[in-house]
Amino acid sequence: VIVGTEKSLYAVGGETGEVLWRRKGVELDETDVAPVPGTDMLLLSLQKGSKTRVEAVDLFTGDALWQSDKVQGGVMQMAVDTGENLLAAVFVKDAKDRAREGFKRRALVHVFDLRSGDELWDYKIESEIEMMPVRWGEDKGAKTEYTLDNYHPPLFLDGRLYLFYEGV
């Protein structure tokens, strides 16, 4: 089980409750931590000011497997092709605002080598995509994170990457 506080991230054994590892001094929103499907890996979006670093972390040890400074924003969705060692991650920058309908942002797709973290290519989606708030707040002025959970995640099929965003 992955658990976050205001300043730490923990991995806790689901059966024993034992803390497997702890990462101190990180400020993460819930959309900054993403399990990589079909692997024992997490992606962390670590932001400091205008800089973002994505780090692939071993789920059981907390060790960094690889990192990339070539991205901006948080991980919204991803697709994995373990047979070809491909990881496609969709990133959106500044995806936090007051909860409302019609919130849109541009997304950027990065495709990485799953083992090394080398970026193979990226693609900037030209049109804006409508996003969904994580929660509808009681306070109309409070900011919340947004996701792309209102869409099916990307999919690798027969060597192609498919995206399912309305208008794209």
Side-chain angles (χ1 to χ4, degrees):
V1 177
I2 302 299
V3 180
T5 66
E6 286 186 19
K7 299 280 183 181
S8 294
L9 183 68
Y10 296 86
V12 178
E15 292 180 13
T16 64
E18 174 189 354
V19 174
L20 302 175
W21 54 265
R22 176 181 179 196
R23 175 82 60 103
K24 294 180 183 180
V26 293
E27 293 184 36
L28 297 168
D29 291 325
E30 60 190 274
T31 56
D32 292 333
V33 180
V36 178
T39 72
D40 295 332
M41 186 185 301
L42 291 174
L43 284 189
L44 304 179
S45 295
L46 305 166
Q47 297 182 22
K48 287 191 179 184
S50 63
K51 302 252 184 198
T52 303
R53 181 179 81 231
V54 170
E55 194 171 293
V57 175
D58 183 287
L59 181 61
F60 296 105
T61 65
D63 295 336
L65 302 171
W66 53 263
Q67 64 184 23
S68 175
D69 297 329
K70 296 182 178 185
V71 299
Q72 290 187 343
V75 178
M76 295 291 137
Q77 291 184 324
M78 66 182 91
V80 177
D81 183 339
T82 55
E84 297 294 324
N85 293 308
L86 296 175
L87 168 65
V90 179
F91 294 86
V92 175
K93 188 177 176 184
D94 299 324
K96 193 172 187 175
D97 202 350
R98 63 181 173 78
R100 60 188 166 90
E101 290 186 37
F103 182 83
K104 294 182 178 184
R105 288 289 185 259
R106 285 195 168 86
L108 184 63
V109 179
H110 289 269
V111 176
F112 301 98
D113 179 289
L114 187 59
R115 281 184 259 159
S116 68
D118 292 337
E119 184 180 63
L120 303 174
W121 55 268
D122 65 20
Y123 175 72
K124 183 177 183 178
I125 297 174
E126 292 300 323
S127 56
E128 291 187 325
I129 301 170
E130 187 166 347
M131 301 184 74
M132 183 174 88
V134 169
R135 71 187 61 78
W136 292 96
E138 311 292 316
D139 179 6
K140 297 285 184 194
K143 289 190 174 188
T144 188
E145 294 86 24
Y146 278 79
T147 69
L148 292 174
D149 290 350
N150 46 329
Y151 300 99
H152 291 288
L155 172 70
F156 280 109
L157 184 63
D158 293 331
R160 295 177 188 247
L161 177 65
Y162 292 89
L163 303 172
F164 302 98
Y165 306 122
E166 185 175 331
V168 175

